[in-house]
Short mmCIF file of all heavy atoms in Angstrom, two decimals:
data_model
loop_
_atom_site.label_atom_id
_atom_site.label_comp_id
_atom_site.label_asym_id
_atom_site.label_seq_id
_atom_site.Cartn_x
_atom_site.Cartn_y
_atom_site.Cartn_z
N LYS F 1 113.47 114.01 99.34
CA LYS F 1 112.33 113.82 100.22
C LYS F 1 111.37 112.72 99.75
O LYS F 1 110.44 112.36 100.46
CB LYS F 1 111.56 115.14 100.39
CG LYS F 1 112.36 116.22 101.10
CD LYS F 1 111.51 117.47 101.27
CE LYS F 1 112.30 118.57 102.01
NZ LYS F 1 111.49 119.80 102.20
N GLU F 2 111.59 112.20 98.55
CA GLU F 2 110.70 111.17 98.01
C GLU F 2 111.18 109.78 98.45
O GLU F 2 112.36 109.46 98.35
CB GLU F 2 110.67 111.23 96.48
CG GLU F 2 109.94 112.43 95.91
CD GLU F 2 108.43 112.26 95.93
OE1 GLU F 2 107.95 111.13 96.10
OE2 GLU F 2 107.73 113.29 95.77
N SER F 3 110.23 108.95 98.91
CA SER F 3 110.58 107.57 99.24
C SER F 3 110.69 106.76 97.94
O SER F 3 110.10 107.12 96.92
CB SER F 3 109.51 106.95 100.13
OG SER F 3 108.27 106.86 99.44
N LYS F 4 111.42 105.67 97.98
CA LYS F 4 111.62 104.85 96.79
C LYS F 4 110.31 104.30 96.22
O LYS F 4 110.08 104.37 95.01
CB LYS F 4 112.60 103.72 97.08
CG LYS F 4 114.05 104.18 97.17
CD LYS F 4 114.98 103.00 97.31
CE LYS F 4 116.44 103.48 97.36
NZ LYS F 4 117.38 102.32 97.49
N PRO F 5 109.42 103.75 97.07
CA PRO F 5 108.15 103.22 96.51
C PRO F 5 107.29 104.33 95.87
O PRO F 5 106.72 104.12 94.81
CB PRO F 5 107.45 102.63 97.75
CG PRO F 5 108.54 102.34 98.71
CD PRO F 5 109.55 103.42 98.51
N SER F 6 107.23 105.48 96.56
CA SER F 6 106.44 106.58 96.03
C SER F 6 107.01 107.08 94.70
O SER F 6 106.27 107.34 93.75
CB SER F 6 106.39 107.72 97.05
OG SER F 6 105.77 108.87 96.49
N TRP F 7 108.33 107.22 94.65
CA TRP F 7 108.98 107.71 93.43
C TRP F 7 108.84 106.71 92.29
O TRP F 7 108.61 107.08 91.14
CB TRP F 7 110.44 108.03 93.69
CG TRP F 7 111.11 108.71 92.54
CD1 TRP F 7 112.13 108.24 91.76
CD2 TRP F 7 110.78 110.01 92.01
NE1 TRP F 7 112.46 109.15 90.80
CE2 TRP F 7 111.66 110.24 90.92
CE3 TRP F 7 109.85 110.99 92.37
CZ2 TRP F 7 111.62 111.42 90.19
CZ3 TRP F 7 109.80 112.15 91.62
CH2 TRP F 7 110.68 112.36 90.55
N SER F 8 108.97 105.43 92.62
CA SER F 8 108.83 104.38 91.60
C SER F 8 107.45 104.43 90.96
O SER F 8 107.31 104.29 89.73
CB SER F 8 109.07 103.01 92.24
OG SER F 8 108.89 101.98 91.29
N LYS F 9 106.43 104.66 91.78
CA LYS F 9 105.06 104.76 91.26
C LYS F 9 104.91 105.95 90.32
O LYS F 9 104.31 105.85 89.25
CB LYS F 9 104.09 104.88 92.43
CG LYS F 9 102.63 104.95 92.02
CD LYS F 9 101.71 105.07 93.23
CE LYS F 9 100.25 105.17 92.81
NZ LYS F 9 99.34 105.32 93.99
N LYS F 10 105.49 107.11 90.70
CA LYS F 10 105.41 108.31 89.88
C LYS F 10 106.16 108.14 88.56
O LYS F 10 105.69 108.58 87.51
CB LYS F 10 105.97 109.51 90.64
CG LYS F 10 105.08 109.98 91.78
CD LYS F 10 105.68 111.16 92.52
CE LYS F 10 104.78 111.61 93.67
NZ LYS F 10 105.37 112.74 94.43
N VAL F 11 107.31 107.49 88.62
CA VAL F 11 108.10 107.25 87.41
C VAL F 11 107.32 106.40 86.42
O VAL F 11 107.20 106.74 85.23
CB VAL F 11 109.44 106.57 87.75
CG1 VAL F 11 110.13 106.06 86.49
CG2 VAL F 11 110.36 107.55 88.49
N LYS F 12 106.76 105.29 86.90
CA LYS F 12 106.01 104.39 86.02
C LYS F 12 104.79 105.10 85.42
O LYS F 12 104.45 104.92 84.25
CB LYS F 12 105.57 103.16 86.80
CG LYS F 12 106.73 102.23 87.14
CD LYS F 12 106.27 101.01 87.93
CE LYS F 12 107.45 100.10 88.27
NZ LYS F 12 107.03 98.94 89.08
N GLU F 13 104.12 105.92 86.26
CA GLU F 13 102.93 106.64 85.81
C GLU F 13 103.25 107.60 84.67
O GLU F 13 102.57 107.63 83.64
CB GLU F 13 102.32 107.39 86.99
CG GLU F 13 101.07 108.18 86.64
CD GLU F 13 100.53 108.96 87.82
OE1 GLU F 13 101.29 109.19 88.80
OE2 GLU F 13 99.36 109.36 87.77
N HIS F 14 104.32 108.38 84.83
CA HIS F 14 104.63 109.41 83.84
C HIS F 14 105.37 108.87 82.62
O HIS F 14 105.26 109.44 81.53
CB HIS F 14 105.40 110.55 84.50
CG HIS F 14 104.55 111.36 85.43
ND1 HIS F 14 104.35 111.02 86.75
CD2 HIS F 14 103.79 112.48 85.22
CE1 HIS F 14 103.54 111.88 87.31
NE2 HIS F 14 103.18 112.77 86.42
N VAL F 15 106.09 107.80 82.79
CA VAL F 15 106.68 107.13 81.62
C VAL F 15 105.56 106.56 80.76
O VAL F 15 105.62 106.60 79.52
CB VAL F 15 107.66 106.02 82.05
CG1 VAL F 15 108.03 105.13 80.87
CG2 VAL F 15 108.92 106.64 82.64
N LYS F 16 104.51 106.04 81.41
CA LYS F 16 103.36 105.54 80.66
C LYS F 16 102.67 106.67 79.89
O LYS F 16 102.23 106.48 78.75
CB LYS F 16 102.36 104.87 81.61
CG LYS F 16 101.19 104.20 80.89
CD LYS F 16 100.25 103.50 81.87
CE LYS F 16 99.16 102.72 81.13
NZ LYS F 16 98.36 103.54 80.21
N TYR F 17 102.57 107.87 80.51
CA TYR F 17 101.99 109.01 79.80
C TYR F 17 102.76 109.26 78.51
O TYR F 17 102.18 109.52 77.45
CB TYR F 17 102.04 110.27 80.67
CG TYR F 17 101.11 110.27 81.86
CD1 TYR F 17 101.37 111.06 82.97
CD2 TYR F 17 99.95 109.48 81.88
CE1 TYR F 17 100.51 111.06 84.07
CE2 TYR F 17 99.09 109.48 82.97
CZ TYR F 17 99.38 110.28 84.06
OH TYR F 17 98.54 110.29 85.14
N TYR F 18 104.09 109.20 78.62
CA TYR F 18 104.92 109.48 77.44
C TYR F 18 104.77 108.39 76.38
O TYR F 18 104.60 108.69 75.20
CB TYR F 18 106.39 109.61 77.85
CG TYR F 18 107.31 109.83 76.67
CD1 TYR F 18 107.43 111.10 76.08
CD2 TYR F 18 108.03 108.78 76.12
CE1 TYR F 18 108.25 111.29 74.98
CE2 TYR F 18 108.87 108.97 75.02
CZ TYR F 18 108.97 110.23 74.46
OH TYR F 18 109.79 110.42 73.36
N THR F 19 104.84 107.13 76.79
CA THR F 19 104.73 106.03 75.82
C THR F 19 103.34 106.01 75.17
O THR F 19 103.22 105.72 73.97
CB THR F 19 105.04 104.68 76.48
OG1 THR F 19 104.21 104.49 77.63
CG2 THR F 19 106.50 104.61 76.90
N ASP F 20 102.30 106.30 75.96
CA ASP F 20 100.94 106.36 75.39
C ASP F 20 100.85 107.50 74.38
O ASP F 20 100.22 107.35 73.32
CB ASP F 20 99.91 106.59 76.50
CG ASP F 20 99.68 105.35 77.35
OD1 ASP F 20 100.16 104.26 76.96
OD2 ASP F 20 99.04 105.47 78.41
N TYR F 21 101.47 108.63 74.70
CA TYR F 21 101.43 109.78 73.80
C TYR F 21 102.11 109.46 72.47
O TYR F 21 101.56 109.71 71.39
CB TYR F 21 102.11 111.00 74.45
CG TYR F 21 102.24 112.17 73.50
CD1 TYR F 21 101.13 112.94 73.16
CD2 TYR F 21 103.46 112.48 72.90
CE1 TYR F 21 101.23 113.99 72.27
CE2 TYR F 21 103.57 113.53 72.01
CZ TYR F 21 102.45 114.28 71.70
OH TYR F 21 102.55 115.32 70.80
N THR F 22 103.31 108.89 72.53
CA THR F 22 104.04 108.59 71.29
C THR F 22 103.33 107.50 70.48
O THR F 22 103.43 107.47 69.25
CB THR F 22 105.48 108.14 71.60
OG1 THR F 22 105.48 107.05 72.53
CG2 THR F 22 106.29 109.29 72.20
N ALA F 23 102.60 106.61 71.18
CA ALA F 23 101.83 105.60 70.46
C ALA F 23 100.68 106.24 69.68
O ALA F 23 100.31 105.76 68.60
CB ALA F 23 101.28 104.56 71.44
N ILE F 24 100.13 107.32 70.22
CA ILE F 24 99.02 108.02 69.55
C ILE F 24 99.51 108.78 68.31
O ILE F 24 98.92 108.69 67.24
CB ILE F 24 98.33 109.00 70.52
CG1 ILE F 24 97.58 108.23 71.62
CG2 ILE F 24 97.35 109.92 69.78
CD1 ILE F 24 97.05 109.12 72.73
N VAL F 25 100.60 109.54 68.46
CA VAL F 25 101.02 110.43 67.37
C VAL F 25 102.05 109.81 66.43
O VAL F 25 102.29 110.33 65.34
CB VAL F 25 101.59 111.76 67.93
CG1 VAL F 25 100.55 112.49 68.73
CG2 VAL F 25 102.85 111.52 68.75
N GLY F 26 102.66 108.68 66.84
CA GLY F 26 103.69 108.09 66.00
C GLY F 26 104.94 108.96 65.98
O GLY F 26 105.17 109.77 66.87
N TYR F 27 105.75 108.81 64.94
CA TYR F 27 106.94 109.66 64.81
C TYR F 27 107.36 109.72 63.34
O TYR F 27 107.03 108.85 62.54
CB TYR F 27 108.08 109.14 65.69
CG TYR F 27 108.52 107.71 65.40
CD1 TYR F 27 109.60 107.45 64.56
CD2 TYR F 27 107.87 106.64 66.01
CE1 TYR F 27 110.00 106.15 64.31
CE2 TYR F 27 108.27 105.33 65.77
CZ TYR F 27 109.35 105.10 64.92
OH TYR F 27 109.75 103.81 64.66
N PRO F 28 108.11 110.78 62.96
CA PRO F 28 108.48 110.95 61.55
C PRO F 28 109.49 109.91 61.09
O PRO F 28 110.66 109.98 61.42
CB PRO F 28 109.08 112.37 61.52
CG PRO F 28 109.54 112.62 62.91
CD PRO F 28 108.60 111.87 63.81
N GLN F 29 109.01 108.94 60.34
CA GLN F 29 109.89 107.89 59.83
C GLN F 29 110.57 108.36 58.54
O GLN F 29 110.37 109.49 58.09
CB GLN F 29 109.08 106.62 59.57
CG GLN F 29 108.36 106.10 60.82
CD GLN F 29 107.34 105.04 60.49
OE1 GLN F 29 106.95 104.88 59.34
NE2 GLN F 29 106.89 104.33 61.51
N GLU F 30 111.34 107.47 57.96
CA GLU F 30 112.09 107.84 56.75
C GLU F 30 111.17 108.29 55.63
O GLU F 30 111.45 109.25 54.91
CB GLU F 30 112.93 106.64 56.28
CG GLU F 30 113.81 106.94 55.08
CD GLU F 30 114.63 105.75 54.66
OE1 GLU F 30 114.64 104.74 55.38
OE2 GLU F 30 115.27 105.83 53.60
N HIS F 31 110.05 107.61 55.48
CA HIS F 31 109.10 107.98 54.41
C HIS F 31 107.91 108.77 54.93
O HIS F 31 106.91 108.93 54.23
CB HIS F 31 108.63 106.72 53.69
CG HIS F 31 109.75 105.94 53.06
ND1 HIS F 31 110.48 106.41 52.00
CD2 HIS F 31 110.26 104.74 53.38
CE1 HIS F 31 111.40 105.52 51.67
NE2 HIS F 31 111.29 104.50 52.48
N GLY F 32 108.02 109.25 56.16
CA GLY F 32 106.95 110.07 56.71
C GLY F 32 105.91 109.26 57.45
O GLY F 32 105.62 108.12 57.10
N ASP F 33 105.37 109.79 58.49
CA ASP F 33 104.35 109.12 59.28
C ASP F 33 102.97 109.35 58.65
O ASP F 33 102.61 110.47 58.32
CB ASP F 33 104.38 109.66 60.71
CG ASP F 33 103.30 109.04 61.57
OD1 ASP F 33 103.41 107.85 61.87
OD2 ASP F 33 102.35 109.76 61.91
N ALA F 34 102.19 108.28 58.53
CA ALA F 34 100.91 108.36 57.83
C ALA F 34 99.94 109.31 58.53
O ALA F 34 99.27 110.12 57.88
CB ALA F 34 100.30 106.96 57.73
N LYS F 35 99.86 109.23 59.86
CA LYS F 35 98.94 110.08 60.60
C LYS F 35 99.36 111.54 60.49
O LYS F 35 98.51 112.43 60.35
CB LYS F 35 98.91 109.66 62.07
CG LYS F 35 97.77 110.29 62.87
CD LYS F 35 97.66 109.65 64.24
CE LYS F 35 96.44 110.24 64.98
NZ LYS F 35 96.29 109.63 66.32
N TRP F 36 100.63 111.81 60.55
CA TRP F 36 101.19 113.16 60.42
C TRP F 36 100.86 113.73 59.05
O TRP F 36 100.41 114.86 58.90
CB TRP F 36 102.69 113.08 60.67
CG TRP F 36 103.53 114.29 60.41
CD1 TRP F 36 104.69 114.32 59.68
CD2 TRP F 36 103.36 115.61 60.91
NE1 TRP F 36 105.23 115.58 59.68
CE2 TRP F 36 104.43 116.39 60.42
CE3 TRP F 36 102.39 116.23 61.68
CZ2 TRP F 36 104.55 117.75 60.72
CZ3 TRP F 36 102.51 117.58 61.97
CH2 TRP F 36 103.59 118.30 61.50
#
C-alpha cells in the first residue's frame, strides 16, 4: 500500500536514525570503544 516516493522518504528517515545512533555510541572495536 506504500507508494515509492513515500516509502523512499521513510527509508531515508529511519536509516538516518540508525546511522546517527551508531555515530553517538560508537561500536566495540578490537581494543574497546573509548566512550563505552
Side-chain angles (χ1 to χ4, degrees):
K1 295 182 179 180
E2 288 281 344
S3 65
K4 285 187 178 180
S6 173
W7 188 245
S8 177
K9 182 180 179 181
K10 289 179 181 178
V11 168
K12 289 179 180 178
E13 180 183 19
H14 289 86
V15 168
K16 186 178 186 303
Y17 290 156
Y18 177 79
T19 54
D20 287 349
Y21 173 74
T22 54
I24 292 171
V25 299
Y27 58 96
Q29 302 167 345
E30 183 179 352
H31 300 293
D33 177 69
K35 192 171 184 179
W36 171 229

